[in-house]
Amino acid sequence: MASRWFASLPNFITLGRLVLTPVAIVMISEENWRGAFFVFVLAGVSDALDGWLAKTYNLQSELGAVLDPLADKTLIISIYVTLAILGEAPVWLAILIVFRDALIVGGVSVSWFMGRPIKVRPHIASKITTAAQLTLAALILGGLAFGFRLTVLEGLLIASVATLTIASASVYLLLWVQHMRP
């Protein structure tokens, strides 16, 4: 019994991250910056922990392969859209992040609809992009939580996140076009 529970632990942690997302968004909306920062950090740690457990103990599952990126995208999109609405992150950056993820989901959906399903695997460009997006969000939330903004560093990270988001979208678009070629 314990081994079944342990085998599902990465998925339970991922589900916990999904549950933490609306909690963080409510805290951001209420400008409870410290609470939002700590919930966001907890969500980030949960992402690292579920991945480490899955790989270390060979607990990867089909459900986890779908849930983990879903939890990541839900957290990132929700955070950036909310921060942009409150004027704490550039609106254009939030739009770019949402567009990239919509492009990926749309490509996968079209592939399935056309009877040419594409295997969804995270590309290294996507992993680097996600790490940069999480880092920038943490920096913004941390600055708001502790009363200091590192504007030069934020500016550099905004440029990096934008560049990486465009590069990652381009990689996925290229892979999709190659996959869909007759």
Side-chain angles (χ1 to χ4, degrees):
M1 181 75 164
S3 64
R4 275 192 199 168
W5 180 87
F6 186 73
S8 298
L9 187 56
N11 291 338
F12 285 127
I13 293 170
T14 302
L15 288 170
R17 188 162 69 257
L18 273 169
V19 170
L20 288 175
T21 297
V23 173
I25 298 311
V26 167
M27 289 180 169
I28 291 170
S29 299
E30 294 174 350
E31 297 185 14
N32 177 355
W33 301 118
R34 282 198 179 155
F37 174 74
F38 288 116
V39 168
F40 182 77
V41 168
L42 180 61
V45 168
S46 79
D47 188 23
L49 180 61
D50 68 22
W52 178 80
L53 284 170
K55 287 179 182 136
T56 302
Y57 295 101
N58 197 26
L59 302 175
Q60 293 100 337
S61 68
E62 285 184 50
L63 179 61
V66 172
L67 277 182
D68 188 63
L70 176 66
D72 290 344
K73 298 307 165 205
T74 301
L75 178 65
I76 289 170
I77 288 171
S78 298
I79 292 287
Y80 276 96
V81 167
T82 307
L83 287 172
I85 288 169
L86 294 176
E88 301 297 343
V91 171
W92 63 265
L93 185 62
I95 291 169
L96 184 62
I97 290 168
V98 171
F99 176 76
R100 172 198 171 263
D101 291 339
L103 183 74
I104 293 169
V105 170
V108 169
S109 299
V110 167
S111 299
W112 279 85
F113 180 74
M114 294 181 68
R116 301 198 55 201
I118 190 168
K119 185 163 175 86
V120 180
R121 290 181 301 235
H123 190 275
I124 187 69
S126 181
K127 291 182 180 196
I128 294 168
T129 301
T130 298
Q133 291 170 344
L134 291 171
T135 300
L136 175 58
L139 182 67
I140 293 170
L141 288 173
L144 291 164
F146 300 106
F148 66 91
R149 296 290 289 263
L150 302 172
T151 53
V152 172
L153 183 56
E154 276 185 34
L156 290 171
L157 278 173
I158 287 168
S160 297
V161 165
T163 302
L164 289 166
T165 301
I166 292 167
S168 175
S170 300
V171 166
Y172 280 111
L173 187 58
L174 178 63
L175 291 172
W176 182 79
V177 167
Q178 288 174 345
H179 175 78
M180 296 303 289
R181 240 187 313 205

